[in-house]
Amino acid sequence: MFDFANQAYTLLIITVVFGELFTTVVVGDRNDGFRLANFLWSLALAISYLLVVITAPLCGAVMDYRAEKKRFLFFSYLATVFTTAMLYFVAPGYVVLGLLLIVISNYAYSMGESFIAAFLPELGPPESLGKISGFGWALGYVGGLCAAGFTLVVLGEATAENFERIRWVGPFAAGFFLLAAIPTFLWLKERGTPTPSQKGYLKIAKAQLLGTAAELRHFKDLTVFLVSLLFSMAGVYIIIAFAFIYGAQVIGWEAGVRNIMFVIVQITAAAGAIGFGWIQDRVGAKRTYQVTLGLWILAILAIWATPEVTALANARMGWAWQAQYVFLVVGCLAGLSLGSSQSASRALVGLFSPLAKSAEFFGFWGLANKLAGVFGIVALGVLQTLVGLQASILLCVALFAVAMAICWRVDEQRGRAAALAWRQERA
């Protein structure tokens, strides 16, 4: 249910509505093809992800030691809800306020994403984690479909002319998250056992992380996988942050087509999460993860080539296709890649994590994710100022290819055995 609830934030604020509103209306085109607006958007996201990089492992270590995963999750949830609701006050020209609220809200949301993931190893046997993670991601996309579908129909377009209505997207996303996450806090159990200690949080975190650093050689496959994840998620975060901006600025789609694309991506992402979650439990998490990276490479090449392929087909065949409708077909492949890759990576970390270190290891998962976000979004933000958004999107192809190459060194069975051996040694 938390996956269901938090998609209202990531879709409405980061991906579909507010990102486009911020770049095209709050900052606007300053005769530079929105390059400054895109750069400021990428900068806000990068700063929030950098804060996660610094704090996620520390919080994870404390949560394991004190058995306080649910408490930390609750505080991140409240902070996300409050700062998201405050986005109502970001009017055209209020660039600094918009940047500040995006940094804080996206930081709180991203920390909560790591906190909720830390519960995954407790929710079922290792052989079912792919299916469980896939179901969570899929339910998240259903939540996003409900939240963003209502927004796009009722609040309308992210335009200056419609600003007085669309500015309510922040309060609506906050309210959806606030209500839909209530079942999590009513029924999710904290199964960890706190370790008695008079130490403060900072001393606990330092001691735990130093201990984990000394044990990293025992978790070699997890370490290698997190490096692979760093590159793959850099590409994913670029797409999450810029896909709908790309549609508006490069494809030049109409509002109706944007809405159709949103629905297509949610449905295909949910199908990818469920389908590949089921496949993962049968063929292995590593193999599934690598297949999803291959899908991403095809999707990025299709995104980049859409305008040229459309023009070429029209010239050669005498057709009258519009790039925005060809882009809808590409959206199916992108959505399938999105749901499957995120679910597979989360499940693989769950398989490599002992229960007593789940929050800490998912803190490192959060670190890798958000460090990837910093690197990917800043790189894309700078690159698009030099060569434009369409050409710079090819950066994602290189990122996914590097991630695939690094993942070849991961041995899934050895990684699972290492987690089991660590538990048995301390039983």
Side-chain angles (χ1 to χ4, degrees), residues 26-273:
V26 175
V27 180
D29 184 5
R30 306 195 177 192
N31 298 317
D32 62 352
F34 297 101
R35 294 188 181 190
L36 174 62
N38 292 344
F39 176 75
L40 291 175
W41 180 249
S42 65
L43 180 65
L45 297 182
I47 292 172
S48 66
Y49 294 146
L50 184 59
L51 292 174
V52 176
V53 168
I54 296 170
T55 58
L58 298 173
C59 292
V62 172
M63 289 189 297
D64 281 331
Y65 194 86
R66 298 286 294 268
E68 292 183 354
K69 294 194 293 288
K70 193 171 179 179
R71 182 181 182 184
F72 276 66
L73 179 66
F74 183 70
F75 286 130
S76 71
Y77 153 77
L78 290 183
T80 306
V81 167
F82 176 75
T83 51
T84 302
M86 292 292 290
L87 290 173
Y88 173 86
F89 298 103
V90 181
Y94 284 55
V95 177
V96 174
L97 177 61
L99 290 173
L100 181 62
L101 289 175
I102 285 297
V103 168
I104 299 173
S105 64
N106 196 50
Y107 167 72
Y109 159 79
S110 300
M111 291 296 285
E113 195 176 32
S114 296
F115 298 160
I116 195 66
F119 286 94
L120 179 61
E122 305 173 4
L123 302 181
E127 60 271 15
S128 296
L129 291 190
K131 179 171 57 182
I132 294 169
S133 179
F135 177 76
W137 278 114
L139 194 60
Y141 289 116
V142 172
L145 188 61
C146 295
F150 173 85
T151 301
L152 295 175
V153 171
V154 175
L155 299 184
E157 302 176 27
T159 62
E161 295 76 16
N162 189 49
F163 181 76
E164 289 305 317
R165 288 176 63 191
I166 199 62
R167 72 188 307 178
W168 284 95
V169 66
F172 174 76
F176 187 95
F177 193 5
L178 177 68
L179 296 176
I182 289 175
T184 298
F185 298 104
L186 289 179
W187 293 305
L188 181 64
K189 295 180 180 179
E190 181 77 60
R191 291 179 171 83
T193 302
T195 302
S197 175
Q198 299 299 317
K199 297 179 182 178
Y201 280 175
L202 191 58
K203 288 185 178 180
I204 291 173
K206 182 179 178 181
Q208 290 293 99
L209 290 177
L210 287 175
T212 297
E215 296 173 333
L216 278 180
R217 53 185 168 73
H218 186 79
F219 300 102
K220 174 184 175 182
D221 294 286
L222 174 64
T223 304
V224 174
F225 175 69
L226 289 176
V227 176
S228 171
L229 188 67
L230 182 85
F231 287 93
S232 67
M233 288 307 297
V236 170
Y237 275 104
I238 288 173
I239 298 303
I240 289 174
F242 283 96
F244 278 69
I245 295 173
Y246 187 96
Q249 296 179 12
V250 177
I251 303 300
W253 59 17
E254 300 166 356
V257 175
R258 180 197 64 174
N259 297 348
I260 295 172
M261 174 64 88
F262 163 74
V263 173
I264 287 174
V265 169
Q266 297 314 294
I267 293 174
T268 54

Side-chain angles (χ1 to χ4, degrees), residues 340-425:
S340 57
S341 60
Q342 291 179 300
S343 173
S345 67
R346 183 168 69 172
L348 197 52
V349 174
L351 291 171
F352 291 168
S353 300
L355 289 179
K357 282 187 170 291
S358 62
E360 187 175 351
F361 281 5
F362 272 101
F364 283 112
W365 175 76
L367 182 153
N369 271 303
K370 306 317 175 189
L371 187 60
V374 173
F375 167 68
I377 290 174
V378 168
L380 192 282
V382 172
L383 191 60
Q384 64 87 32
T385 64
L386 301 175
V387 300
L389 188 55
Q390 182 182 3
S392 62
I393 206 73
L394 289 175
L395 171 65
C396 297
V397 173
L399 293 171
F400 290 128
V402 171
M404 186 181 292
I406 293 173
C407 192
W408 282 111
R409 296 182 55 196
V410 174
D411 186 318
E412 182 177 344
Q413 296 305 316
R414 183 176 61 197
R416 294 175 64 170
L420 179 62
W422 193 93
R423 287 196 295 265
Q424 292 175 341
E425 288 171 5

